[in-house]
């Protein structure tokens, strides 16, 4: 997690540069179905995900069976949107609690506190900016929560050089300059 700083129409990396995919990325319905351990159901939950349609009881029963947890523990999600079910059961850590984290195979580990820490870092950068203090010299300041705190947190990221990023697109740049009256 971390905080990054961008000018867009300068020589630095833009926000999109940092997340430019280098290969095929899974669709949301595929990722959610996998994390709910019913990967074959990805087409089935595609529309409910898009329309926030509530999940029926048989669906919740299948997820409970896939995780090996009693249906009673998940019954509260019947009739709720898929997003609510997914967010609370997986992202909120309910499944880790129910399975004791000991279920064989991959576990999705919630680290919701990292969003809070990223918010604190962003607030610190905004206070610095508002106070007229010089901006950090690196594009990104990053902390890896799975390792000890590194002595250097600055992560200089270069602008994308493949030409695929929006910051290399003349139309995007023209619109940006017009919007912020930079021309
Ligand atoms: Zn870019």
């Amino acid at each position: 997690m971390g905080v990054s700083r961008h000018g867009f129409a300068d020589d630095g990396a833009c926000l999109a540069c940092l997340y430019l995919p280098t290969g095929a990325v899974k669709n949301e319905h595929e990722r959610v179905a996998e994390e709910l351990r019913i990967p074959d159901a990805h087409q089935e939950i595609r529309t409910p995900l898009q329309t926030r349609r509530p999940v029926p009881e048989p669906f919740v029963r299948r997820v409970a069976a896939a995780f090996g947890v009693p249906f009673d523990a998940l019954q509260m999600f019947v009739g709720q949107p898929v997003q609510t079910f997914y967010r609370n059961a997986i992202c909120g850590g309910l499944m880790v609690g129910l399975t004791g984290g000991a279920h064989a195979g991959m576990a999705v580990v919630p680290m919701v506190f990292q969003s809070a820490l990223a918010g604190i870092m962003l607030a610190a950068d905004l206070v610095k900016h508002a106070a007229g203090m010089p901006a950090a010299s690196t594009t990104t300041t990053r902390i890896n929560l799975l390792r000890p705190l590194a002595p250097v947190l600055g992560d200089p990221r270069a602008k994308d050089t493949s030409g695929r990023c929006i910051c290399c697109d003349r139309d995007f740049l023209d619109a940006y300059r017009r919007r912020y009256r930079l021309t």
Side-chain angles (χ1 to χ4, degrees), residues 75-86:
Q75 192 172 8
M76 65 186 119
F77 297 115
V78 173
Q80 301 223 27
V82 183
Q83 282 91 342
T84 306
F85 179 35
Y86 169 72

Side-chain angles (χ1 to χ4, degrees), residues 14 16-17 165-167:
C14 80
C17 282
C165 191
I166 54 172
C167 64

Side-chain angles (χ1 to χ4, degrees), residues 56-62 64-65 68-78:
E57 182 179 320
F59 183 89
V60 177
R61 283 192 182 278
R62 276 161 64 197
V69 302
F71 167 69
D72 293 355
L74 303 181
Q75 192 172 8
M76 65 186 119
F77 297 115
V78 173

Side-chain angles (χ1 to χ4, degrees), residues 16-97:
C17 282
L18 303 189
Y19 300 97
L20 210 58
T22 54
V25 177
K26 280 182 183 155
N27 291 308
E28 185 189 26
H29 62 277
E30 292 171 318
R31 186 172 47 78
V32 169
E34 275 181 21
E35 292 182 10
L36 289 174
R37 297 191 178 168
I38 45 172
D40 294 342
H42 68 92
Q43 285 297 351
E44 190 183 324
I45 65 165
R46 187 176 185 167
T47 305
L49 262 178
Q50 290 167 350
T51 59
R52 301 190 64 81
R53 199 186 298 159
V55 289
E57 182 179 320
F59 183 89
V60 177
R61 283 192 182 278
R62 276 161 64 197
V63 174
F67 276 84
V69 302
F71 167 69
D72 293 355
L74 303 181
Q75 192 172 8
M76 65 186 119
F77 297 115
V78 173
Q80 301 223 27
V82 183
Q83 282 91 342
T84 306
F85 179 35
Y86 169 72
R87 195 174 55 237
N88 288 290
I90 302 296
C91 306
L94 180 66
M95 287 308 198
V96 174

